[in-house]
Amino acid sequence: NAGVTQTPKFQVLKTGQSMTLQCAQDMNHEYMSWYRQDPGMGLRLIHYSVGAGITDQGEVPNGYNVSRSTTEDFPLRLLSAAPSQTSVYFCASSYSGPGYGYTFGSGTRLTVV
Amino acid sequence: GIQVEQSPPDLILQEGANSTLRCNFSDSVNNLQWFHQNPWGQLINLFYIPSGTKQNGRLSATTVATERYSLLYISSSQTTDSGVYFCAGKAAGNKLTFGGGTRVLVKP
């Protein structure tokens, strides 16, 4: 049971480049979400999904796209990377019903130069 | 959205000491959770505790939902307890909002 798997662990991009951060879970969780963590600012929600085919915006969605074609996968796309997107990105998943906590992936450290 | 305030922001403990971390919410929340982020950055779910009290080893948590706060107790602290502790909760909807965290350093 791998839990939540994020790839890559580290990435350096040039301004204007695009890339996709991968997130996969093998727990059959309905709910998946992406957070970014910046120094001194805690975790901020970017996008989330309550099931395949359903996504919605979080607190800081600008510059990011998501899709949820399967229950297992929830990729995060950076369309045109900017230095302000330098951050650590975490993917999390959980069952939708009450009583279940979130499981986090190990994170992707992204630097945009 | 809801505001989540954690206190204190920083805490230095001598190994073996006890401590209490606090989390206040600006509105009623459900799905209240506590997390520990270790020095390597991994986020671990400690408690799912929308109300009442739970204990897991040397850690325990209490949530008083009617007064919109939660407490995390660390007893007999160890150096492995170092890291950042986050609380998070959901108001209406599906957005889990995090507090700014309490950074804990346990000295041997």
Side-chain angles (χ1 to χ4, degrees):
Chain A
N1 188 343
V4 179
T5 302
Q6 289 185 237
T7 57
K9 293 189 184 304
F10 301 94
Q11 183 72 47
V12 179
L13 287 180
K14 293 182 179 179
T15 297
Q17 286 185 317
S18 63
M19 79 160 295
T20 299
L21 279 63
Q22 301 291 345
C23 176
Q25 53 91 10
D26 61 358
M27 299 170 283
N28 204 32
H29 285 169
E30 301 93 348
Y31 184 90
M32 297 186 74
S33 55
W34 278 101
Y35 287 84
R36 60 177 288 172
Q37 185 176 30
D38 301 299
M41 296 192 72
L43 284 88
R44 292 183 293 169
L45 181 64
I46 305 172
H47 285 286
Y48 66 96
S49 168
V50 298
I54 305 170
T55 64
D56 205 347
Q57 295 181 351
E59 182 185 358
V60 287
N62 292 340
Y64 308 95
N65 275 359
V66 292
S67 60
R68 185 94 179 272
S69 57
T70 67
T71 299
E72 295 78 17
D73 300 298
F74 191 44
L76 179 72
R77 298 182 185 86
L78 281 70
L79 306 175
S80 178
S84 61
Q85 294 178 304
T86 293
S87 188
V88 181
Y89 292 85
F90 287 96
C91 178
S93 72
S94 74
Y95 292 113
S96 291
Y100 298 100
Y102 281 31
T103 300
F104 276 85
S106 58
T108 295
R109 184 174 296 274
L110 175 68
T111 301
V112 182
V113 297
Chain B
I2 62 168
Q3 305 300 313
V4 184
E5 292 186 6
Q6 292 188 240
S7 60
D10 296 280
L11 191 58
I12 299 175
L13 300 173
Q14 202 63 40
E15 197 170 29
N18 304 326
S19 187
T20 301
L21 283 60
R22 186 178 178 102
C23 179
N24 290 330
F25 292 87
S26 62
D27 203 350
S28 298
V29 297
N30 53 59
N31 206 310
L32 199 155
Q33 303 179 44
W34 282 95
F35 297 86
H36 176 227
Q37 186 169 38
N38 65 26
W40 297 271
Q42 181 66 41
L43 282 154
I44 305 298
N45 193 298
L46 298 175
F47 293 103
Y48 173 90
I49 184 164
S51 63
T53 297
K54 289 187 177 180
Q55 182 156 4
N56 184 359
R58 296 179 296 100
L59 299 180
S60 64
T62 295
T63 296
V64 183
T66 53
E67 298 192 16
R68 304 197 299 268
Y69 74 88
S70 184
L71 303 173
L72 179 71
Y73 305 97
I74 305 174
S75 64
S76 303
S77 58
Q78 300 179 359
T79 56
T80 53
D81 295 330
S82 295
V84 184
Y85 291 81
F86 292 101
C87 63
K90 290 183 183 179
N94 284 299
K95 301 179 181 179
L96 188 72
T97 300
F98 282 74
T102 292
R103 186 175 301 275
V104 174
L105 175 62
V106 181
K107 293 186 172 181

